[in-house]
Amino acid sequence: MKITNETLATQLNHRSIRAFAKKPIAKEQLTAIYEAARHTSTSQFLQQFSILRITDEAKRKAISEIAKQDYVGGNGELLIFLADLNRNAKIRQHLGQDIARLQTADLFFQAVNDTVLAVQNALLAAESMGLGGVVLGSINNEPKKLVTVLELPKLTYPILGLQLGHLAQSPQLKPRLPLEFTVFDDKYPADFSLAEFNDA
């Protein structure tokens, strides 16, 4: 029996949307997207991510130039998701505690994980409301320049961008690798049969 429900249907219909209508996302929709991101799973409940909503046209243009993609910063909302250890550092300092632990690779990678998960939750929330979006890894083509453009404090780092809006295109669903090539029990296979791959 094939399992299906509204959430699965939204997930399985995911397409990256790169063209958006000149129609703003309602404030209530944005708030719902932020709330979905805020309720993302988080390592040790540290909640080490923040979202920058970019409305300044000069910054949007600069980010588009960094990404080398014309649609970035065009119609729709442009959100930059940050790995954010700065906030927790401020909290610890306020409580008279040192911040040494927040300066470890372990905590940084936990922040990266928190941030990436929040991006996916935000995108799924947007798609559930009939909006479209595209995840932007290209914002890190020039990371030092991006940090300057965003005027970021220490202990923060831009991980991914997310452009959201009302769809102005309807691209086809891209094919995905079959499950037998992506899901394994107990042990990663020593070799793939190319013949089987071609047959799939």
Side-chain angles (χ1 to χ4, degrees), residues 25-181:
I25 295 177
K27 181 180 178 181
E28 295 78 10
Q29 290 177 305
L30 264 181
T31 299
I33 291 166
Y34 296 152
E35 287 288 358
R38 189 168 71 95
H39 285 80
T40 298
S41 298
T42 172
S43 179
Q44 301 182 56
F45 200 58
L46 291 174
Q47 304 175 79
Q48 297 181 119
F49 79 90
S50 291
I51 304 171
L52 281 182
R53 178 187 179 216
I54 308 300
T55 61
D56 181 274
E57 288 302 325
K59 288 185 177 181
R60 288 170 70 98
K61 184 175 186 297
I63 294 168
S64 177
E65 291 172 355
I66 289 169
K68 297 177 175 59
Q69 294 167 317
D70 291 340
Y71 62 85
V72 175
N75 293 335
E77 293 284 347
L78 177 57
L79 307 177
I80 306 296
F81 284 71
L82 310 173
D84 184 356
L85 290 85
N86 178 67
R87 178 173 53 246
N88 285 346
K90 298 294 186 188
I91 293 170
R92 291 182 68 86
Q93 289 169 334
H94 177 73
L95 296 173
Q97 300 178 17
D98 68 66
I99 64 169
R101 184 163 179 261
L102 294 174
Q103 296 171 313
T104 65
D106 176 51
L107 263 290
F108 174 73
F109 284 119
Q110 287 183 23
V112 171
N113 291 338
D114 280 5
T115 308
V116 172
L117 290 170
V119 170
Q120 184 60 50
N121 257 19
L123 178 56
L124 180 57
E127 291 178 337
S128 77
M129 293 183 279
L131 301 170
V134 59
V135 177
L136 306 169
S138 56
I139 63 168
N140 268 307
N141 284 342
E142 298 179 69
K144 288 184 178 179
K145 184 175 180 181
L146 182 63
V147 166
T148 300
V149 168
L150 298 177
E151 304 172 87
L152 294 180
K154 290 182 178 180
L155 297 179
T156 63
Y157 190 84
I159 301 299
L160 290 168
L162 183 61
Q163 187 133 347
L164 300 171
H166 294 274
L167 286 69
Q169 62 176 182
S170 183
Q172 66 182 20
L173 289 171
K174 291 185 178 179
R176 303 290 180 174
L177 289 169
L179 290 178
E180 55 264 35
F181 290 102

